[in-house]
Amino acid sequence: MDMLLIGGLWLNASVWERVASAVEALGHRPVPLTLPGQGDGAVSATLDDQVAAVLAAVDAAPGKSMVVGHSAACTLAWLAADRRPERVATVALIGGFPSTDGQPYADLFEVRDGVMPFPGWSPFEGPDAADLDQEGRRELADAAVPVPVGVARGVVRLTDARRFDVPVVLVCPEFTPEQAQEWINAGDVPELARAKHVDFADIDSGHWPMVTRPVELARILAGAADAP
C-alpha cells in the first residue's frame, strides 16, 4: 500500500527518512511529502495549497492509500479523508487530532514577517521533547522551515460526512491511549467522536517519534496498513 507521510509544522519530507526505509522493508511504499511552504521555498503558500498537494499524492497512488499525519498535519490527513473518502484506506494520526470545520489550521505561535518560525524548545519542554537529546533538538531546530501565515491561519473546511467511515489509527506518543479516549469521550475531539472506526496504538516516545523511534513507528503504521 502507498503510505503518504505528512510532517507537522516546520517539517519537510526529510524527517521521514528512517521511517520510510523501515516501512519499505515491511512491504509498503512510503511517500514522504514536502508541503508547499515547508521546504519548497513557497513563502506565500496557503492551507489550500497544502491540501491540494496531499490530494495530488492520493490521486497519484495506484489504489487506496494510508494517509499519515503528524501533529498539526493530522488535520491535513483528515482533510484528505474528507475530500477523497473513497481513495483513503486508513488515516493514521501521530501525536495530534483533526481540527473541526471553521477552525484555523495552526494559529499557535507568533507570526513574524509573514511566517510562523519555530519558537524554540521552551513550549515543548516536558513529555513532548523528553526523549530528544541535544543533538536531536539541534537537528530539528536547524532543519525547521518557517510556516507561511497563509498555512498557519488558513481555515479548515470539512464537507463530506463519508470521512467518518474511513478507519482511523491514533498513534499516541506523549499521551496515552487512555488519555486520548478520555478526551474523545469528553467532547474535546469531536471529529474522532463521530468516526466509526478508531483504533489506538501506544508508542513510548515524545512528540517526534519519527526521529526518536522510527522503526517502532514504522511497525505500527505497517501493522495498521496490513489490518483487514
Side-chain angles (χ1 to χ4, degrees), residues 76-149:
L76 283 176
W78 194 236
L79 282 163
D82 180 73
R83 302 291 199 277
R84 300 287 192 276
E86 73 286 351
R87 297 279 299 163
V88 176
T90 309
V91 170
L93 309 176
I94 303 171
F97 304 93
S99 298
T100 56
D101 181 65
Q103 286 187 321
Y105 173 65
D107 189 11
L108 302 172
F109 300 99
E110 180 185 3
V111 169
R112 299 197 302 269
D113 299 324
V115 295
M116 187 172 68
F118 179 67
W121 289 106
S122 179
F124 305 107
E125 292 300 345
D128 282 352
D131 63 342
L132 276 170
D133 58 20
Q134 289 303 313
E135 181 180 355
R137 292 186 181 208
R138 184 169 56 254
E139 287 179 1
L140 275 172
D142 288 348
V145 180
V147 178
V149 64

Side-chain angles (χ1 to χ4, degrees), residues 130-208:
D131 63 342
L132 276 170
D133 58 20
Q134 289 303 313
E135 181 180 355
R137 292 186 181 208
R138 184 169 56 254
E139 287 179 1
L140 275 172
D142 288 348
V145 180
V147 178
V149 64
V151 173
R153 294 180 178 170
V155 177
V156 174
R157 295 299 180 197
L158 297 163
T159 61
D160 194 331
R162 290 180 297 166
R163 68 186 180 275
F164 299 120
D165 296 325
V166 178
V168 176
V169 177
L170 180 59
V171 181
C172 304
E174 72 272 23
F175 52 84
T176 67
E178 292 76 19
Q179 287 174 312
Q181 186 67 73
E182 287 177 7
W183 298 331
I184 293 169
N185 293 345
D188 297 333
V189 192
E191 287 295 307
L192 294 191
R194 295 181 62 189
K196 296 176 182 176
H197 313 280
V198 180
D199 291 323
F200 300 86
D202 198 10
I203 186 168
D204 185 16
S205 78
H207 190 61
W208 293 271

